[in-house]
Amino acid sequence: MPKATETLLEINLNALDNNYKYLTSKIKPGTKVLAVVKAFAYGSDSVVIAKELVELGVDYFAVAYANEGETLRNAKIETPILVLHTLPVNFEVIVNRCLEPSIYSRKTLEEFIAFSEEKKQINYPIHLKFNTGLNRLGFVENDIPFIAEMLSKTKSVKVKSAFSHLAASEDLKLKEFTLGQIEMFQKISEELIAKIGYKPFLHCANTSGIINYPEAHFDMVRTGIGLYGFGNDKEENKHLKPVGTLKTVISQIHKVENGESVGYNRGFIAEKATRSATLPIGHADGIPRSYGKGKGWVTINGKKAHILGNVCMDMIMVDVTDIDCEEGDEVIVFGPSTTAEELSAAINSISYELITAVSQRVKRVICRN
Ligand SMILES: *Cc1c(COP(=O)(O)O)cnc(C)c1O
């Protein structure tokens, strides 16, 4: 790649290929793979990522909201797409674009069946989500008779899969809890199959579930963060490559004398002669204010430059007192060397939050490094 001359997010498709192959090497042949491409494919570009995954042979996509699935359909992606967070207001888009809703409550089931009947659908694919401990979305075991009763009275929908979501698959201190979730999911699925009289496919593992719980792979696994290069584990990260590299450039360098300040509200006051570099990236681009006042850093010519004072909307100023650099030099925010996991840890956050925050203002550049 040529050096960055503005703020951009490089999306490395070779890293995606590597991560897909590594993660799928962990599952039994025949297990389906669902790629989670919600939130712009974790802050990258959902269409670019999905097209590459189609080439790699992915079986399914998941998005959080219907409009994200619509974006994929507009890009001519024909792979089945699961909408994880179905809202009744989105039923129309879901059915018009052949998206497959997660149905997680009595209300969503009743309303989706009514909608499908009105639209004269036969066997419209739905996915039943069960709550096994995350307490976020999902039916509970007690809902099964109700579900079976509703399904027996209609031909408009058909259960394509039943699934659950693990609350702590990355945290081995909570292994007992996770094994309990897996067991509960197994029991619920058996009961569901017995009551509805056919076998939908089953899934409950996210990336860390793929890595830590082979017994939770069932018929399909759902991977998000792993595809983008993070395994929530030091050893696993060695096999994965970050897909996104966020780069920017030095716009201007200032000499700041002892006692002078930098940025809004005099967020940094120099206690010695300091050299600051102003970069065209701010909180509107995905660098939260909490990285200000030295918590966060960027890399310039291989050296760490900490953020001086407050993060502005469109800029940050960083300390380059001890760095040999000039205006126009490339700056790395995160990527394979300073990873998003490492940088986010500086503000007690996680890779997921930092990479999904890269705003739509930031130019995306595709590469194969
Ligand atoms: C986001 C999400 C995933 C992906 O999780 P990762 O930890 O990124 O692999 C899987 N399943 C559901 C239900 C999700 O919401």
Side-chain angles (χ1 to χ4, degrees), residues 8 91 118 120 142 163 186 207 213 253 265 309 341 350:
L8 50 87
F91 287 169
E118 192 190 305
K120 310 265 185 293
N142 273 341
F163 72 111
Q186 179 89 49
T207 300
Y213 296 95
I253 292 179
N265 305 100
E341 195 164 275
I350 54 175

Side-chain angles (χ1 to χ4, degrees), residues 34 36 38 42 62 84 129 136 163-165 169 204-208 210 222-226 228 232 352:
L34 175 150
V36 182
K38 62 193 179 191
Y42 287 46
L84 293 167
K129 170 88 175 275
R136 190 171 74 174
F163 72 111
S164 189
H165 194 35
S169 55
C204 82
N206 62 348
T207 300
S208 293
I210 296 172
R222 304 187 302 268
T223 175
I225 198 74
Y228 308 103
N232 300 324
Y352 296 76

Side-chain angles (χ1 to χ4, degrees), residues 262-265 267 278-293 307-317 361:
V262 175
Y264 286 130
N265 305 100
T278 303
L279 316 179
I281 187 168
H283 63 73
D285 301 288
I287 309 297
R289 276 187 105 240
S290 42
Y291 284 104
K293 303 195 172 173
I307 298 177
L308 294 171
N310 291 313
V311 171
C312 313
M313 186 185 297
D314 313 305
M315 285 170 259
I316 52 176
M317 282 70 86
R361 179 164 82 175

Side-chain angles (χ1 to χ4, degrees), residues 7-226:
T7 301
L8 50 87
L9 181 73
E10 272 179 25
I11 300 171
N12 179 2
L13 295 178
N14 283 357
L16 179 68
D17 296 6
N18 169 81
N19 301 339
Y20 184 86
K21 285 171 188 153
Y22 177 68
L23 291 161
T24 52
S25 76
K26 303 239 166 202
I27 59 178
K28 285 203 211 77
T31 309
K32 284 200 253 285
V33 183
L34 175 150
V36 182
V37 293
K38 62 193 179 191
F40 303 99
Y42 287 46
S44 57
D45 181 313
S46 66
V47 169
V48 167
I49 295 289
K51 286 190 167 166
E52 183 73 8
L53 289 163
V54 168
E55 294 299 313
L56 289 165
V58 78
D59 299 285
Y60 246 93
F61 289 116
V63 292
Y65 298 104
N67 65 326
E68 299 176 314
E70 194 176 21
T71 301
L72 298 179
R73 289 287 183 248
N74 287 343
K76 305 213 159 30
I77 286 160
E78 293 172 358
T79 309
I81 300 172
L82 167 58
V83 176
L84 293 167
H85 201 153
T86 304
L87 296 169
V89 70
N90 303 137
F91 287 169
E92 189 87 36
V93 175
I94 287 177
V95 172
N96 284 344
R97 307 312 300 271
C98 294
L99 307 173
E100 302 179 5
S102 159
I103 299 295
Y104 51 83
S105 63
R106 294 184 183 214
K107 179 173 183 288
T108 51
L109 181 62
E110 280 175 329
E111 293 182 11
F112 192 74
I113 288 176
F115 184 85
S116 307
E117 285 178 347
E118 192 190 305
K119 297 281 169 185
K120 310 265 185 293
Q121 296 297 314
I122 304 285
N123 290 341
Y124 197 89
I126 63 171
H127 301 261
L128 298 179
K129 170 88 175 275
F130 286 91
N131 172 21
T132 54
L134 182 58
N135 288 323
R136 190 171 74 174
L137 288 178
F139 290 105
V140 293
E141 195 176 357
N142 273 341
D143 293 322
I144 294 175
F146 175 86
I147 295 169
E149 163 87 16
M150 289 295 296
L151 293 173
S152 72
K153 292 193 298 204
T154 186
K155 288 198 160 38
S156 66
V157 301
K158 177 143 195 192
V159 182
K160 200 162 164 192
S161 86
F163 72 111
S164 189
H165 194 35
L166 301 174
S169 55
E170 75 284 8
D171 186 349
L172 294 175
K173 291 195 292 296
L174 295 174
K175 187 160 189 179
E176 212 174 313
F177 177 84
T178 302
L179 291 173
Q181 276 197 284
I182 297 165
E183 201 177 310
M184 191 189 295
F185 177 59
Q186 179 89 49
K187 179 161 177 271
I188 285 174
S189 325
E190 280 163 18
E191 201 175 319
L192 178 77
I193 292 163
K195 288 262 167 33
I196 65 175
Y198 56 93
K199 188 186 176 302
F201 66 87
L202 308 177
H203 47 114
C204 82
N206 62 348
T207 300
S208 293
I210 296 172
I211 292 167
N212 297 325
Y213 296 95
E215 63 272 56
H217 292 180
F218 295 96
D219 304 308
M220 182 167 83
V221 294
R222 304 187 302 268
T223 175
I225 198 74

